[in-house]
């Protein structure tokens, strides 16, 4: 009997590793406890980026323009405050109170419809600090406290309010998803104690996933929000596969041995299953729009950590709960579905051709899907407090679409002409720049004043004005003006005021109290304007458009702005920045990313399938099924004319190709395995019966997770991802259950003729006696066999055995101590590549009879 327990050739190393994992389970428990404690702390170190524009390519206009503005200009913190149900006079009182708040620089409020209409007042409050200064948040809190007694609605980009609200929504979604997962597992499990085994395994992986995100530095708000839910939906299969393996082995082996053998069989199977999912996610990393790469990396990390948790932690948990699982067994609630297989066989020549026609139409229709690149045309299912305030202000007040135009600095005349020409277009409502901003006395900031004009403006002696201008000319190294006369010397008003203030501040000039107060006020206002509108190398102008945020007309006018600016600045680089420009850049990215994601995801999954099925035909059929599901999925918004945020397509198509194809693999693997020993009708009926529990378990979780995300979030990007993922998973389940079987039946000959298995065996094993065989067999065993075997054979064997999983056992007749049942158990435990009929086998590529 000792001889029987020796590992089979090529299998001992894996069994030793799995034995170490099981026997050292307390060590892995300790490691995971430490990691869990650390992750609970480190999850707070993760920095989340809430701006979609941050993920635009480095060479995009928006990205370059934003970087330029951050270097060149100061953008002061601001907040729009709407107070409803007040009179204009009450509004003035509120304005005065807001102006008294510490940190408030100015409050814009007047009797125009831009600030008061229909009993509602709108205040544009600007703070005295850069928008990245934490003091802005302190002042914002004071503003909120001041207006909370009114019917007020506050809109601002300061702080992370939107992110906090999204996190609250996702926490609610996560709780509901966990409840759904527990319900599904209770229905699909065979023992109630299986549920805590799976939940502990996943919970540990999820916590470590959140705790290790800080290693990536910064992640997007989308990745931060949906990764945990998607991690559960995408990777719970791995734990289910190992648990099913354990239950099968435990029928004949003790818990320890069953866990070791189950783990040795599950590791290659789970690893192979995860490759298709990661193949789809890898495609996202090739996107120019870096949010795709961000989400791809985070999700791949999540899947890898889930794999590690299943391989290292779950075996110990199974051992811990093994006794309880034996005691809490219940009947199987998932029924057989023979009618599906019978329907597939009867309708194979109708459904398969019809599906090809449908997906051709779906391809055309999905190509007309109304993608959008901003949030302005999408209404999420939930409206949070920030969006309520934004909607209220848009409803009562005419908010304009603003763009910033950055031009080379130093030519005030060119700036003035550019602003004037832009304002001549009906697409432009108004413009703001130094060249058209009024200062005092009816003059604009950049108007050139002579000494005479300056003396009249400030009501000072002309001689004093000449002295000031002479000092300015000397400081400007413009000595010719001093020599030839200053009467015609014009200096921009803003430059002269700032020069005088500097001279006063340094003690070279003394002014009376009234003039000093005027100078102080002018300097404060001019500095404020200059910090925002003039940098060292560039000037910034604000252009308010009478155009929607996103439309072809808007995008065309953005190009027109560049053409107009080129008339004044030639080949010099001019940047146009704004939400519309960001949408335009995203549209350009999408055109390229769409092609790349489709090609890379298909190639990555195709490579995995070729290796799995050792056939060229089978991968093509499976990819047609899932790609067809994707086209049908995105035909729905096209038919409904439902605007879809473009990111939903890029991410969901990758996940659908990488994850949903697992359902097709389950069915295809079982069919090819059973087809080796059954007729087609019998094989497809049994295939659907055996595949249904796995598909309904995994598919329900992913469909529910996606649907909940799509119905319970206020963020348009997350809403699009969830809606499409839930719908796409449901479509994939339906097609793999009710269309793929017919395709497999019709494509039987294609699969056979494109198989990589040679007609003649390339390696023949010969043995006589009693032996255990697990694997694909082509040859003679007291008769011809072509299929995957899991049996103890007594007789003569001369056959090609795919995985060399043949273990010679003591002959029952020559060894009285031999027990046939025990021999079968030992062979099963030691066989490295035994592919149990209870699971889809990647080596199950027997050819149809």
């Amino acid at each position: 009997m000792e001889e029987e327990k020796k590992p089979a050739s090529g299998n001992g190393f894996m069994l030793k590793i799995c034995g170490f994992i099981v026997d050292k389970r307390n060590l892995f428990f300790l490691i995971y406890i430490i990691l869990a404690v650390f992750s609970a702390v480190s999850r707070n170190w993760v920095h989340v980026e809430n701006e979609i524009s941050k993920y635009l390519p480095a060479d995009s206009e928006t990205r370059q323009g934003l970087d330029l503005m951050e270097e060149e200009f100061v953008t002061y913190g601001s907040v729009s405050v709407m107070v409803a149900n007040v009179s204009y006079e009450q509004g003035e009182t509120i304005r005065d109170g807001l102006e008294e708040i510490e940190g408030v620089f100015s409050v814009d409020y007047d009797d125009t419809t831009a600030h008061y209409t229909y009993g509602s007042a709108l205040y544009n409050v600007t703070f005295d600090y850069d928008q990245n200064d934490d003091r802005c948040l302190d002042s914002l809190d004071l503003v909120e406290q001041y207006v909370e007694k009114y019917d007020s609605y506050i809109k601002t980009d300061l702080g992370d309010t939107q992110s906090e609200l999204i996190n609250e929504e996702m926490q609610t979604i996560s709780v509901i998803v966990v409840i759904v997962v527990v319900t599904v597992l209770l229905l699909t499990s065979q023992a109630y104690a299986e549920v805590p085994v799976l939940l502990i395994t996943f919970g540990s992986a999820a916590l470590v996933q959140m705790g290790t995100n800080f290693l990536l530095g910064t992640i997007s708000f989308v990745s931060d929000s949906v990764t945990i839910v998607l991690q559960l939906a995408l990777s719970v299969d791995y734990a289910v596969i190992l648990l099913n393996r354990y239950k099968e082995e435990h029928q004949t082996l003790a818990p320890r041995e069953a866990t070791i053998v189950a783990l040795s069989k599950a590791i290659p199977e789970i690893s192979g299953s995860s490759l298709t999912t990661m193949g789809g996610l890898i495609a996202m990393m090739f996107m120019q729009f870096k949010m795709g790469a961000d989400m791809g990396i985070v999700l791949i990390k999540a899947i890898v950590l889930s794999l590690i948790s299943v391989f290292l932690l779950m075996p110990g948990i199974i051992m811990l709960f093994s006794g309880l699982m034996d005691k809490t067994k219940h009947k199987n609630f998932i029924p057989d579905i023979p009618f599906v297989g019978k329907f597939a066989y009867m309708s194979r020549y109708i459904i398969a051709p019809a599906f090809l026609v449908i997906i051709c139409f779906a391809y055309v229709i999905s190509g007309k899907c109304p993608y959008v690149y901003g949030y302005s045309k999408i209404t999420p299912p939930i409206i949070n407090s920030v969006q309520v305030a934004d909607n209220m202000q848009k409803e009562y007040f005419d908010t304009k679409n603003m763009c910033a135009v950055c031009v080379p600095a130093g030519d005030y005349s060119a700036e003035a002409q550019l602003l004037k020409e832009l304002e001549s277009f009906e697409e432009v409502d108004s413009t703001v720049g130094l060249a058209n901003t009024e200062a005092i006395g009816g003059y604009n900031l950049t108007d050139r004043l002579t000494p005479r004009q300056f003396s009249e403006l400030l009501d000072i002696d002309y001689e004093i004005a000449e002295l000031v201008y002479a000092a300015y000319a000397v400081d400007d190294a413009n000595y010719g003006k001093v020599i030839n006369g200053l009467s015609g010397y014009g200096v921009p008003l803003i430059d002269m005021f700032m020069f005088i203030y500097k001279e006063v501040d340094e003690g070279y000039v003394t002014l009376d109290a009234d003039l000093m107060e005027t100078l102080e006020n002018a300097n404060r206002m001019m500095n404020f304007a200059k910090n925002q509108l003039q940098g060292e190398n560039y000037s910034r102008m604000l252009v308010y458009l009478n155009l929607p945020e996103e439309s072809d007309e808007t995008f065309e006018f953005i190009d027109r702005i560049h053409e107009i600016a080129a008339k004044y600045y030639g080949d010099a680089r001019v940047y146009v920045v704004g939400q519309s420009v960001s949408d335009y850049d995203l549209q350009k990215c999408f055109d390229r990313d769409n092609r790349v994601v489709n090609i890379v995801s298909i190639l990555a999954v195709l490579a995995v399938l070729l290796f799995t099925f050792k056939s060229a035909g089978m991968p093509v059929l499976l990819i047609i099924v899932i790609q067809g599901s994707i086209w049908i999925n995105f035909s729905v918004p096209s038919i409904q004319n439902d605007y879809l945020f473009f990111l939903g397509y890029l991410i969901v198509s990758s996940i659908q190709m990488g994850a949903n194809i697992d359902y097709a693999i389950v069915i295809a693997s079982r069919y090819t395995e059973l087809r080796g020993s059954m007729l087609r009708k019998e094989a497809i009926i049994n295939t659907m019966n055996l595949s249904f529990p796995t598909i309904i378990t995994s598919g329900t979780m992913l469909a529910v997770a996606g649907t909940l995300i799509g119905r319970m979030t206020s963020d348009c990007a997350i809403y699009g991802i969830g809606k499409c993922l839930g719908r796409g998973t449901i479509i994939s389940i339906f097609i793999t259950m009710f269309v793929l079987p017919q395709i497999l039946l019709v494509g039987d000959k294609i699969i056979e003729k494109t198989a990589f298995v040679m007609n003649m065996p390339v390696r023949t094993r010969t043995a006589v006696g009693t032996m255990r065989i697990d694997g694909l067999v082509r040859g003679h065993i007291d008769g011809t066999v072509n299929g995957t075997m899991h049996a103890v054979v007594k007789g003569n064997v001369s056959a090609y055995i795919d995985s060399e999983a043949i273990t010679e056992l003591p002959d029952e007749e020559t060894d009285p101590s031999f027990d046939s049942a025990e021999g079968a158990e030992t062979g099963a435990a030691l066989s490295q590549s035994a592919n149990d009929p209870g699971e889809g086998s990647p080596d199950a590529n027997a050819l149809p009879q």
Side-chain angles (χ1 to χ4, degrees):
M1 293 299 293
E2 290 298 320
E3 187 69 23
E4 294 172 24
K5 295 182 181 179
K6 291 180 180 179
S9 175
N11 200 33
F13 181 68
M14 177 64 78
L15 288 173
K16 286 181 180 179
I17 292 177
C18 296
F20 174 82
I21 293 172
V22 173
D23 293 337
K24 299 298 181 181
R25 54 189 176 275
N26 289 334
L27 171 62
F28 292 110
F29 287 160
L30 177 61
I31 291 173
Y32 266 86
I33 289 172
I34 295 172
L35 285 175
V37 173
F38 174 79
S39 297
V41 177
S42 63
R43 60 179 296 188
N44 298 316
W45 302 346
V46 180
H47 182 262
V48 179
E49 179 55 65
N50 297 310
E51 293 294 329
I52 289 181
S53 59
K54 292 288 186 181
Y55 293 94
L56 283 165
D59 60 352
S60 67
E61 182 171 25
T62 297
R63 184 71 268 136
Q64 292 182 350
L66 288 173
D67 292 342
L68 174 78
M69 292 196 301
E70 190 172 344
E71 295 174 5
E72 293 269 332
F73 310 106
V74 175
T75 301
Y76 290 98
S78 63
V79 56
S80 295
V81 180
M82 173 182 165
V83 179
N85 303 313
V86 294
S87 65
Y88 179 75
E89 290 72 21
Q90 288 175 311
E92 289 182 312
T93 303
I94 295 171
R95 176 200 59 197
D96 296 340
L98 289 172
E99 288 177 337
E100 296 299 321
I101 293 176
E102 181 180 356
V104 172
F105 176 82
S106 65
V107 180
D108 294 335
Y109 176 73
D110 53 40
D111 59 358
T112 64
T113 56
H115 292 284
Y116 186 83
T117 183
Y118 299 111
S120 296
L122 181 65
Y123 307 92
N124 297 323
V125 181
T126 304
F127 298 123
D128 208 3
Y129 319 111
D130 185 281
Q131 63 180 358
N132 297 319
D133 193 321
D134 289 340
R135 289 178 293 179
C136 279
L137 298 178
D138 297 333
S139 298
L140 177 61
D141 288 339
L142 295 175
V143 169
E144 291 174 340
Q145 293 172 20
Y146 179 78
V147 299
E148 65 181 358
K149 57 181 175 289
Y150 302 101
D151 184 10
S152 58
Y153 303 89
I154 295 178
K155 174 185 173 183
T156 182
D157 292 329
L158 299 174
D160 293 326
T161 305
Q162 179 77 358
S163 177
E164 292 168 1
L165 292 172
I166 292 173
N167 283 332
E168 291 176 5
E169 294 165 1
M170 295 309 301
Q171 289 172 7
T172 302
I173 292 171
S174 298
V175 171
I176 297 175
V177 168
V178 169
I179 294 173
V180 171
V181 167
V182 171
T183 303
V184 172
L185 292 177
L186 285 173
L187 293 174
T188 57
S189 65
Q190 296 174 351
Y192 294 116
E194 293 176 14
V195 177
V197 172
L198 297 172
L199 291 181
I200 293 172
T201 302
F202 172 76
S204 303
L207 185 56
V208 174
Q209 156 67 10
M210 290 187 290
T212 54
N213 278 336
F214 80 95
L215 298 174
L216 301 176
T218 300
I219 63 173
S220 70
F221 70 95
V222 176
S223 299
D224 183 60
S225 300
V226 303
T227 297
I228 297 304
V229 176
L230 292 182
Q231 181 183 7
L232 169 60
L234 291 173
S235 61
V236 73
D237 276 356
Y238 311 147
V240 171
I241 289 172
L242 177 56
L243 189 59
N244 287 339
R245 282 290 187 185
Y246 166 77
K247 289 185 292 185
E248 292 159 7
E249 300 299 334
H250 186 43
Q251 292 177 7
T252 56
L253 296 174
R256 175 184 175 276
E257 288 71 22
T259 306
I260 293 173
V261 175
L263 182 61
S264 70
K265 294 178 179 179
I267 286 177
E269 183 177 351
I270 294 171
S271 300
S273 175
S274 67
L275 287 177
T276 55
T277 302
M278 287 193 280
L281 298 175
I282 287 172
M284 294 164 57
M285 299 173 64
F286 287 85
M287 291 168 54
Q288 280 186 319
F289 183 53
K290 297 306 178 184
M291 186 175 285
D294 173 87
M295 195 168 181
I297 291 171
V298 173
L299 281 174
I300 288 173
K301 179 168 72 72
I303 289 174
V304 170
L305 290 173
S306 295
L307 289 174
I308 294 173
S309 181
V310 169
F311 293 157
L312 300 183
L313 179 64
M314 188 175 175
I317 299 174
I318 289 176
M319 291 291 296
L320 195 64
F321 282 84
S322 59
L324 197 57
M325 284 192 287
D326 291 337
K327 294 177 182 178
T328 59
K329 289 184 178 180
H330 59 74
K331 69 175 183 178
N332 188 1
F333 298 113
I334 303 297
D336 287 341
I337 51 171
F339 62 90
V340 175
K342 293 177 181 178
F343 171 77
Y345 188 78
M346 291 187 298
S347 62
R348 62 191 184 279
Y349 294 119
I350 299 173
I351 298 296
F355 177 71
L356 293 178
V357 174
I358 290 172
I359 64 173
C360 288
F361 279 106
Y363 169 74
V364 175
I365 296 172
S366 64
K368 300 177 181 178
C369 185
Y371 298 111
V372 293
Y373 308 92
Y375 289 179
S376 61
K377 295 183 178 180
I378 303 176
T379 302
I382 292 178
I383 306 297
N384 61 39
S385 57
V386 174
Q387 293 165 330
V388 168
D390 186 33
N391 292 341
M392 285 293 291
Q393 292 190 18
K394 288 180 178 177
E395 181 179 351
Y396 281 84
F397 297 95
D398 186 18
T399 56
K400 298 298 181 182
N401 180 13
M402 188 268 285
C403 291
V405 181
C406 299
V407 299
D411 191 342
Y412 291 142
S413 176
E415 290 180 31
Q417 293 178 66
L418 175 58
L419 289 169
K420 184 177 180 180
E421 181 169 353
L422 287 173
E423 285 191 338
S424 68
F425 288 90
E426 62 180 14
E427 291 89 348
V428 176
D429 178 75
S430 61
T431 62
V432 175
L434 287 179
N436 67 354
T437 297
E438 187 174 344
I440 57 176
Y443 290 108
N444 291 331
L445 287 173
T446 61
D447 286 349
R448 291 180 172 273
L449 273 65
T450 63
R452 176 69 63 187
Q453 291 171 315
F454 190 73
S455 67
E456 292 173 353
L457 176 65
L458 295 185
D459 194 20
I460 60 175
D461 292 339
Y462 176 72
E463 290 76 11
I464 296 176
E466 280 192 318
L467 288 174
V468 171
Y469 268 65
Y472 180 90
V474 171
D475 186 71
D476 196 38
N478 198 343
Y479 304 109
K481 293 294 182 182
V482 179
I483 296 172
N484 298 322
L486 296 168
S487 60
Y489 183 28
V491 176
L493 181 61
I494 185 173
D495 294 344
M496 181 54 70
F497 260 100
M498 299 187 81
F499 171 74
I500 295 175
Y501 187 84
K502 184 186 72 170
E503 295 294 300
V504 171
D505 189 53
E506 293 176 356
Y508 297 117
V509 176
T510 303
L511 302 175
D512 60 48
D514 291 341
L515 194 55
M516 191 63 201
E517 183 180 357
T518 301
L519 182 65
E520 287 280 1
N521 291 334
N523 181 74
R524 182 168 179 264
M525 296 299 295
M526 290 180 183
N527 258 314
F528 186 79
K530 187 172 183 179
N531 288 339
Q532 294 185 88
L533 301 176
Q534 187 177 58
E536 183 177 350
N537 302 299
Y538 274 83
S539 292
R540 177 166 61 177
M541 299 173 244
L542 307 181
V543 181
Y544 293 89
L545 304 177
N546 293 318
L547 294 170
E549 177 189 302
E550 182 180 351
S551 69
D552 291 339
E553 185 183 5
T554 305
F555 296 159
E556 289 172 4
F557 192 73
I558 290 171
D559 291 333
R560 186 70 181 275
I561 291 175
H562 281 285
E563 295 173 5
I564 297 168
K567 289 164 46 177
Y568 301 98
Y569 295 95
D571 295 332
R573 187 64 191 269
V574 173
Y575 298 92
V576 182
V577 184
Q579 187 59 53
S580 291
V581 185
S582 176
D583 296 349
Y584 193 17
D585 285 338
L586 289 172
Q587 184 192 57
K588 296 173 184 176
C589 283
F590 178 70
D591 294 338
R592 182 260 188 193
D593 287 344
N594 185 19
R595 294 190 298 271
V596 171
V597 167
N598 284 334
I599 293 172
V600 174
S601 61
I602 289 174
L603 290 178
V605 172
L606 181 62
V608 175
L609 295 180
L610 286 171
F611 175 79
T612 300
F613 289 100
K614 300 180 177 66
S615 164
M618 180 67 83
V620 172
L621 292 178
L622 298 187
I623 286 178
I624 287 174
V625 167
I626 298 302
Q627 186 61 57
S629 301
I630 294 172
W631 289 334
I632 294 172
N633 183 17
F634 291 97
S635 295
V636 174
S638 183
I639 294 171
Q640 297 176 340
N641 196 29
D642 182 20
Y643 291 113
L644 174 65
F645 191 62
F646 80 104
L647 192 61
Y649 173 80
L650 294 175
I651 291 178
V652 172
S653 61
S654 298
I655 293 176
Q656 201 172 344
M657 176 58 72
N660 290 176
I661 202 166
D662 282 348
Y663 313 150
I665 292 173
V666 168
I667 293 175
S669 298
R670 289 197 182 278
Y671 177 72
T672 52
E673 178 182 345
L674 296 175
R675 186 68 181 90
S677 57
M678 298 180 183
L679 297 175
R680 288 190 297 169
K681 182 176 181 180
E682 183 182 7
I684 201 65
I685 291 173
N686 281 277
T687 292
M688 301 315 295
N689 283 335
L690 294 171
S691 302
F692 181 61
T694 302
I695 294 174
I696 202 65
T697 301
S698 173
T700 300
M701 293 179 187
L702 188 56
V704 169
T707 301
L708 287 174
I709 291 173
R711 291 183 177 273
M712 299 182 65
T713 184
S714 58
D715 183 83
C716 297
I718 298 174
Y719 161 59
I721 292 171
K723 178 174 63 173
C724 295
L725 183 60
R727 183 178 62 227
T729 302
I730 293 170
I731 291 172
S732 295
I733 293 173
F734 180 84
I735 290 178
T736 52
M737 291 293 295
F738 296 101
V739 176
L740 177 61
Q742 288 89 330
I743 291 177
L744 292 176
L745 289 167
V746 173
D748 227 335
K749 291 295 182 183
I750 298 176
I751 298 169
E752 177 181 355
K753 293 184 180 298
T754 58
F756 298 156
V757 178
M758 295 177 63
N759 291 328
M760 294 297 294
V762 296
R763 181 175 65 256
T764 299
R765 299 289 303 278
T766 302
V768 178
T770 303
M771 64 216 74
R772 172 77 184 188
I773 297 178
D774 291 277
L776 173 65
V777 179
R778 293 171 62 87
H780 191 81
I781 304 180
D782 283 339
T784 300
V785 174
N786 184 357
T788 301
M789 292 190 63
H790 305 277
V792 174
V793 174
K794 182 178 179 181
N796 300 322
V797 174
S798 178
Y800 161 69
I801 301 175
D802 180 63
S803 56
E804 300 190 34
I806 176 171
T807 308
E808 296 188 25
L809 302 176
D811 196 313
E812 184 177 9
E813 296 179 357
T814 59
D815 188 348
S817 65
F818 174 72
D819 178 81
S820 60
E822 182 179 353
E825 294 170 10
T826 305
L830 299 179
S831 176
Q832 176 184 9
S833 58
N835 296 308
D836 195 294
E839 293 295 330
S841 166
D843 288 325
N845 59 353
L847 299 179
Q849 298 297 309

